[in-house]
Amino acid sequence: MARYTGASCKLCRREGKKLFLKGDRCLSDKCALSRRSTVPGQHGAGRKSVKEYGLQLREKQTARRYYGVQEKQFKGYYVQADKKEGVAGENLLSILERRFDNVVYRMGMASSRKEARQLVRHAHFTLNGKKADIPSIILKVGDVVALKEKSRGSEKFKALMEDAATATAPKWLEVNAEAATAKVIALPQRDDIDFPFEEQLIIELYSK
């Protein structure tokens, strides 16, 4: 499946939730969901009640769009999560949180996950001191992400580093805003994820 290239705000309207796909704009009065909460399309205003399968599908789409993951990738993450010990839904969210692009976003070096993916692809960051430009890499405990030295002179990154210095990083990341580095010190736990996912619906969908 090709990556979605349409308007990000339509995805939030489709799911009826803020997916924070456009950074600070999502927190302002310019947010499309705040101004127009109906589902996109000709019949959006006449939305009907959703049945069990519809709820499961919407939750899966919400998680997939929130993390910016393609359908085939997302199903692959489910397969990995289901094979691991523990609760499959929590395993799935832990895998998604540890994507390279999401870690860059969580360390405060991008205003959105979409921007983080672009910055990773443009090789602005290293992983364990080596070049890494694949956003879908799943990080492990002990891995270190760092902004490249030559990128630190950029006004954009200087501003992001200042913002990161006052932001609260997730407990599973050890962030040094001054050095623009982040180390994975633990696996993300369910209470570390602040978005109100109902991950059990996703597991039920794939378990059929």
Side-chain angles (χ1 to χ4, degrees):
M1 179 181 176
R3 186 168 295 282
Y4 176 77
T5 58
S8 298
C9 293
K10 280 189 175 181
L11 300 181
C12 295
R13 288 176 57 206
R14 179 64 189 87
E15 304 308 330
K17 302 174 184 176
K18 285 192 178 188
L19 303 179
F20 303 100
L21 304 177
K22 301 195 76 172
D24 292 340
R25 182 186 177 95
C26 299
L27 303 174
S28 72
D29 56 6
K30 293 182 180 179
C31 173
L33 185 64
S34 300
R35 292 187 289 115
R36 191 179 180 188
S37 59
T38 57
V39 174
Q42 182 179 0
H43 304 292
R47 192 173 189 175
K48 298 179 181 179
S49 60
V50 183
K51 297 183 179 180
E52 182 184 22
Y53 173 77
L55 290 172
Q56 295 166 350
L57 178 62
R58 294 269 58 85
E59 196 64 23
K60 186 264 291 184
Q61 292 293 75
T62 294
R64 191 173 69 77
R65 289 166 171 170
Y66 181 77
Y67 287 104
V69 177
Q70 297 183 49
E71 184 66 46
K72 186 176 180 180
Q73 284 180 311
F74 194 88
K75 187 170 184 180
Y77 293 147
Y78 160 75
V79 171
Q80 291 181 44
D82 194 45
K83 290 179 179 178
K84 291 179 178 290
E85 293 184 2
V87 181
E90 295 181 8
N91 291 341
L92 174 61
L93 294 180
S94 177
I95 291 170
L96 291 166
E97 277 290 305
R98 288 183 287 118
R99 277 177 55 100
F100 191 9
D101 53 359
N102 186 70
V103 171
V104 169
Y105 170 71
R106 291 294 193 187
M107 67 187 283
M109 290 292 102
S111 60
S112 67
R113 290 177 179 82
K114 183 177 181 180
E115 182 180 54
R117 278 192 297 278
Q118 185 180 44
L119 295 175
V120 169
R121 288 197 188 101
H122 290 178
H124 285 288
F125 296 89
T126 61
L127 179 58
N128 299 326
K130 298 179 181 179
K131 177 183 176 180
D133 57 5
I134 302 174
S136 61
I137 295 174
I138 305 299
L139 273 60
K140 305 181 296 295
V141 174
D143 284 346
V144 177
V145 175
L147 179 65
K148 280 188 174 179
E149 190 66 39
K150 67 178 183 180
S151 299
R152 296 182 189 182
S154 161
E155 292 301 319
K156 176 181 178 60
F157 282 116
K158 285 181 180 179
L160 287 169
M161 288 165 70
E162 289 179 5
D163 291 342
T166 58
T168 302
K171 293 183 294 184
W172 53 277
L173 271 185
E174 185 178 79
V175 177
N176 184 331
E178 185 177 350
T181 64
K183 181 178 180 179
V184 181
I185 58 175
L187 296 179
Q189 301 300 308
R190 183 62 187 90
D191 58 2
D192 295 325
I193 301 167
D194 51 9
F195 193 87
F197 289 114
E198 294 185 54
E199 62 272 15
Q200 186 55 36
L201 292 176
I202 302 173
I203 303 305
E204 289 171 3
L205 177 68
Y206 282 120
S207 297
K208 290 182 177 180

